[in-house]
Amino acid sequence: MRSAWAVWLAAALALPVRPAFAEPAPPVRAVVEMFTSQGCSACLSADRLAGEFSREPGLLALTVPVTYWDYLGWKDTLAEHAFDERQRAYAVQNRFHQLATPQAVVSGRELIPGSDRGRLSRLIAESGTLPVRVKVYEHNERIVIDIDADSTARPAEIWLVPVARSRPVVIGRGANEGRVAVYANVVRGFHRVGTWTGAAARFEISRATARIGGADGYAVLLQAGGANRRILGAAKGPGL
């Protein structure tokens, strides 16, 4: 007669092998993009606020460093000109006449001062949930993006956003000389994956695409183009 251990082992070995899928993260209800600069004396408090938001399961908080304060004496070590242009597009959409930091954009719609915790929290609560469900997971070194159907939506772009989940920076000159900024989910780039037309769809991309600029995580955005840059859906990559 076989022992109970032998029976258990035989049963375990007979179980089917499951594919190595990573479980999708909880749904994202809102996206906060925090535009910031290492040369901005008012930004450090907003950077800490972005870090707090990044730990909330239903929020996707992204830190987006810009370059246009570099002339003040310290070149931001994480900023990209493409991030300046992203903020500029939001400003045009909202009829803002100048760029400023810290500035937060909630779900691609409204711009507000990034250090105004109360107003930002209220706007997140009032913004409702994103209308289109986006899920992301990994399989065999591929990032798989599933988007639900929405017959009322206009075509939108799918963006892969590599991020460094935590990045401390010692600032050597300028208004924040000698201080340490700690960034959460700091964006390292925006990679266009494709166009969503409103039908249920699946997109796949190499996992290596997200491994740029020291990124150790990523998110996915489904965002309208043109004059209305509303974010329709979003998802956090595994571990974010």
Side-chain angles (χ1 to χ4, degrees):
M1 179 180 293
R2 293 189 297 175
S3 68
W5 166 254
V7 171
W8 178 89
L9 180 61
L13 293 175
L15 290 174
V17 177
R18 296 181 179 180
F21 284 87
E23 289 296 323
V28 172
R29 70 177 188 275
V31 178
V32 177
E33 295 176 71
M34 185 70 77
F35 290 92
T36 185
S37 171
Q38 294 165 19
C40 160
S41 60
C43 281
L44 296 184
S45 62
D47 298 332
R48 289 191 291 270
L49 182 56
E52 292 177 25
F53 283 141
S54 74
R55 294 188 287 273
E56 293 194 24
L59 288 182
L60 171 58
L62 300 172
T63 299
V64 192
V66 295
T67 71
Y68 51 79
W69 296 125
D70 286 359
Y71 76 93
L72 294 178
W74 174 255
K75 181 178 173 60
D76 193 297
T77 60
L78 298 169
E80 301 285 348
H81 288 291
F83 303 163
D84 302 2
E85 294 307 310
R86 183 172 179 84
Q87 188 186 13
R88 197 179 313 279
Y90 283 135
V92 170
Q93 170 184 300
N94 287 271
R95 300 181 181 178
F96 276 50
H97 299 295
Q98 61 184 13
L99 302 182
T101 56
Q103 192 170 69
V105 182
V106 178
S107 297
R109 301 171 72 178
E110 297 193 47
L111 283 75
I112 64 170
S115 55
D116 191 336
R117 175 193 297 270
R119 187 178 171 191
L120 187 51
S121 296
R122 287 193 301 273
L123 187 56
I124 292 169
E126 294 167 0
S127 66
T129 58
L130 300 176
V132 181
R133 178 71 180 269
V134 178
K135 293 177 286 186
V136 63
Y137 54 90
E138 297 177 7
H139 183 224
N140 293 336
E141 280 299 300
R142 304 286 290 176
I143 297 171
V144 183
I145 304 166
D146 284 336
I147 305 177
D148 287 355
D150 187 334
S151 60
T152 66
R154 294 184 177 182
E157 302 300 314
I158 303 102
W159 296 92
L160 179 73
V161 187
V163 301
R165 288 181 284 183
S166 180
R167 182 68 65 86
V169 176
V170 179
I171 301 171
R173 291 188 301 278
N176 293 317
E177 181 177 359
R179 303 178 76 178
V180 179
V182 180
Y183 297 105
N185 293 348
V186 58
V187 173
R188 309 310 303 130
F190 290 91
H191 180 87
R192 183 182 176 277
V193 177
T195 300
W196 174 75
T197 62
R202 171 170 292 181
F203 297 83
E204 293 191 23
I205 190 169
S206 170
R207 179 68 179 81
T209 308
R211 297 188 180 112
I212 64 170
D216 58 359
Y218 60 87
V220 173
L221 301 179
L222 177 66
Q223 185 164 28
N228 179 4
R229 297 176 57 79
R230 180 185 182 190
I231 292 176
L232 304 176
K236 299 179 182 182
L240 199 64

